[in-house]
Amino acid sequence: MRSLALFGFTLCVCLFGSEARIYGRCEFARALANLGVPRNQIPTWTCIAQKESNFDTAARNWSSGDHGILQISQIYWCTEGGGPGKGCNTECWRFRDADIVNDVRCAQKVYNEHTRLSGDGFNAWTTYKYCRGDMSQWIQGCF
């Protein structure tokens, strides 16, 4: 019976994508750099990720409908249970797995749209109020 339960868990993981993970501060900052995020934005993104999700890719805010390490909103940017769609053309659950490539790409899209609208793309995240100004301490010792 135990092996059957283990098989079920393994099957579930295989069918529903990679497991979530919790990043370290520097690990997340380096991942952003590897994905081509401008170096001057990495400290702010790192602060936002810590404040939004504590670097947990599985984070979900049931009240607001935000998903993943950067808390992408299902109101405008991802679709919950209805196939790809909305601004990032992605299903919301994809922001809650270990792969942060789509999270970062979508966050950049959100950032660019809010830069166009307000002049500061980080304004899209409510936690930005804690991440303004010199955030260099967020990447200290990481590179």
Side-chain angles (χ1 to χ4, degrees):
M1 185 64 153
R2 183 168 187 236
S3 63
L4 185 58
L6 182 58
F7 172 75
F9 174 74
T10 304
L11 181 62
C12 179
V13 169
C14 291
L15 289 176
F16 296 107
S18 60
E19 294 179 24
R21 69 183 281 195
I22 298 173
Y23 277 77
R25 175 181 60 85
C26 286
E27 181 183 23
F28 182 73
R30 286 190 297 270
L32 292 177
N34 290 336
L35 290 171
V37 172
R39 183 70 176 247
N40 66 325
Q41 293 180 6
I42 292 174
T44 303
W45 283 120
T46 303
C47 176
I48 287 171
Q50 192 281 323
K51 301 295 183 190
E52 290 284 353
S53 67
N54 205 23
F55 300 113
D56 186 352
T57 65
R60 182 173 187 174
N61 184 325
W62 291 92
S63 298
S64 66
D66 294 343
H67 301 264
I69 197 165
L70 291 167
Q71 293 291 277
I72 305 295
S73 172
Q74 71 187 35
I75 296 171
Y76 302 108
W77 301 103
C78 65
T79 303
E80 183 64 23
K86 298 194 181 171
C88 289
N89 197 32
T90 304
E91 293 174 286
C92 298
W93 69 266
R94 295 185 183 276
F95 296 131
R96 298 189 313 268
D97 64 11
D99 180 6
I100 65 165
V101 172
N102 57 353
D103 305 58
V104 172
R105 296 296 177 243
C106 183
Q108 289 175 317
K109 192 176 267 194
V110 174
Y111 174 87
N112 289 336
E113 181 63 13
H114 278 262
T115 297
R116 186 181 70 77
L117 294 171
S118 73
D120 189 344
F122 291 119
N123 283 327
W125 285 266
T126 58
T127 55
Y128 179 47
K129 62 187 169 196
Y130 306 110
C131 301
R132 292 181 191 269
D134 180 11
M135 294 287 110
S136 60
Q137 74 270 17
W138 284 96
I139 62 167
Q140 190 171 9
C142 298
F143 296 96

